[in-house]
Amino acid sequence: MHFICERSVLNEALHILQNVVGTNTTLPILSNILVEVSDKKELTLTATNLEVGIQFKLDVEVKDQGTCTLPGRKLFEMTKEMAGEKIEIEVSSDYIGIIKSGNAVFRLMGLSSDEYPRLPRLDKVHTAKLTASVLRDLLKKTAYAISSDEARYVLNGVYFIVAKGDVVVVATDGRRLAMVKKKTEIDPNLDAGIILPAKTVNELMRILHGDIEVEILFSETQVGFKLANMLMISRLIEGKFPNYDQVIPKKTKESVVIQKEEFQNIIRRVSLINTGKSNLVKFRFNDGSLTLTASNPDVGEAKDDMSIEYKGDDFVIAFNPVYLLDALKILDDEQINFEFSESTAPGVLKSGDDFTYVIMPMKLR
């Protein structure tokens, strides 16, 4: 196998592939990347950890076709540090790769490709298209609420729904729920609901940028994301996602418009007094103001307030400030709506017409 290509193009692909290179000690070959050169002037690079697989197809100058596997992270590090515009890779029959660029030459030990797992084929596929920036925004506004509790495995990802031309993405860990809804031009007859694993969501958020079109390929147990010269295929989480609609309060007694940045800053300041054992902040709404207080018997106390347009009764509720900050820091709107009813009922944070965040209160003490 022997080919020449643009070093920057190869390195860009390897930068993404090395994030999914496996560390499975029972299958050492998963730490390698599958390298295939065809007689069609095309290089195919594949990496998988058996949960997520990514494949790139690159245009190259083919000297000799063939296939092998090379250590993924080392290959990325080498191509990153080399200085030449072009890179030349030649692999011998005993899978030793000679990598040249500029004045640098590396000798890299590879393995046969015979035992490397191929990406699964997607059968009975339904498709939908979104721009990369829209898909990334949907995931960014929900991913932080994914549960890490493996006992509740259906919550270890985001629920991704396509119905009536809308896309709805939901995540919850049982203490808060994030939901975002987007009207799209997707075929209104397409009806699909899948649970995307957290690893897949994180990889997508790393990869997706700009207004490039992403084709989403839905099948029964897998999902694919195709953009430009890249294909990602992921396993789905099997099971039934909880009825998220039941968690969202249909009515609340009060709704307050709050300046997002000031609200975010005051929460961050007051929560500085908290430690791991004490992570509660009280929110007191009274005529024209919102006062935040926190106390820690080992550290001290904190208090701060801000002006708001509120004319209701004096009201106190407590939340974990980390959960509120997680949502606030990913929102772009200058103002948010904060809704509440009782100190023991969930609070609801809304931004625009598409984002809803439900957060369970903490017990007042």
Side-chain angles (χ1 to χ4, degrees), residues 58-327:
L58 307 177
D59 293 330
V60 299
E61 180 186 341
V62 176
K63 298 289 188 180
D64 191 14
Q65 58 185 309
T67 178
C68 75
T69 70
L70 294 171
R73 292 201 169 96
K74 281 298 177 188
L75 187 58
F76 164 67
E77 290 167 359
M78 290 172 184
T79 59
K80 180 182 178 183
E81 295 301 330
M82 286 173 147
E85 290 186 7
K86 298 280 188 177
I87 188 166
E88 182 177 358
I89 298 180
E90 184 175 4
V91 180
S92 64
S93 58
D94 54 354
Y95 310 112
I96 296 174
I98 305 298
I99 301 155
K100 302 176 183 178
S101 184
N103 297 323
V105 180
F106 285 97
R107 186 171 178 269
L108 189 60
M109 308 295 287
L111 293 170
S112 166
S113 62
D114 292 346
E115 296 181 5
Y116 198 90
R118 267 49 177 184
L119 294 188
R121 293 178 61 88
L122 297 177
D123 298 320
K124 298 180 181 178
V125 169
H126 300 284
T127 65
K129 293 180 180 179
L130 291 172
T131 61
S133 58
V134 168
L135 179 55
R136 187 179 189 278
D137 187 63
L138 292 169
L139 299 175
K140 183 184 74 170
K141 287 180 175 176
T142 51
Y144 55 87
I146 293 174
S147 173
S148 57
D149 182 0
E150 293 184 1
R152 306 177 72 186
Y153 66 94
V154 294
L155 303 184
N156 296 160
V158 301
Y159 190 31
F160 193 97
I161 309 150
V162 179
K164 297 179 181 178
D166 292 339
V167 175
V168 180
V169 183
V170 186
T172 181
D173 60 8
R175 295 176 291 274
R176 49 16 189 323
L177 179 147
M179 181 191 78
V180 61
K181 185 175 183 178
K182 183 77 175 179
K183 291 189 177 297
T184 70
E185 296 180 1
I186 293 173
D187 182 356
N189 295 316
L190 177 59
D191 190 353
I194 59 174
I195 306 176
L196 282 175
K199 287 182 181 178
T200 304
V201 172
N202 291 333
E203 287 306 321
L204 283 169
M205 288 195 295
R206 261 196 285 259
I207 293 167
L208 297 172
H209 294 283
D211 292 327
I212 190 170
E213 185 177 75
V214 181
E215 185 176 15
I216 307 172
L217 313 170
F218 297 92
S219 73
E220 290 186 8
T221 58
Q222 310 271 353
V223 64
F225 298 89
K226 191 174 182 181
L227 58 158
N229 61 343
M230 192 206 83
L231 171 66
M232 174 192 283
I233 294 180
S234 168
R235 287 183 178 179
L236 299 176
I237 295 176
E238 297 182 14
K240 187 176 181 181
F241 199 84
N243 186 342
Y244 65 90
D245 203 42
Q246 290 184 343
V247 178
I248 302 172
K250 300 298 183 288
K251 290 183 179 180
T252 52
K253 290 182 180 178
E254 300 287 353
S255 179
V256 183
V257 176
I258 300 178
Q259 297 298 318
K260 192 214 77 165
E261 188 172 353
E262 186 179 1
F263 189 43
Q264 185 175 341
N265 290 340
I266 194 175
I267 294 172
R268 187 184 293 114
R269 281 196 297 270
V270 171
S271 62
L272 289 173
I273 205 73
N274 289 335
T275 61
K277 295 180 181 179
S278 175
N279 207 19
L280 176 149
V281 171
K282 293 179 182 178
F283 295 72
R284 179 179 294 275
F285 294 84
N286 47 40
D287 192 10
S289 70
L290 169 62
T291 302
L292 274 62
T293 56
S295 62
N296 185 331
D298 299 324
V299 181
E301 298 177 348
K303 178 183 177 182
D304 205 342
D305 58 47
M306 62 180 289
S307 297
I308 58 171
E309 294 184 8
Y310 177 71
K311 302 297 181 182
D313 296 333
D314 193 17
F315 176 80
V316 180
I317 192 168
F319 294 110
N320 183 327
V322 174
Y323 292 165
L324 278 170
L325 290 172
D326 282 345

Side-chain angles (χ1 to χ4, degrees), residues 15-32:
H15 176 64
I16 292 172
L17 290 167
Q18 57 101 25
N19 284 320
V20 297
V21 164
T23 56
N24 190 329
T25 53
T26 59
L27 283 174
I29 199 167
L30 292 183
S31 64
N32 284 13

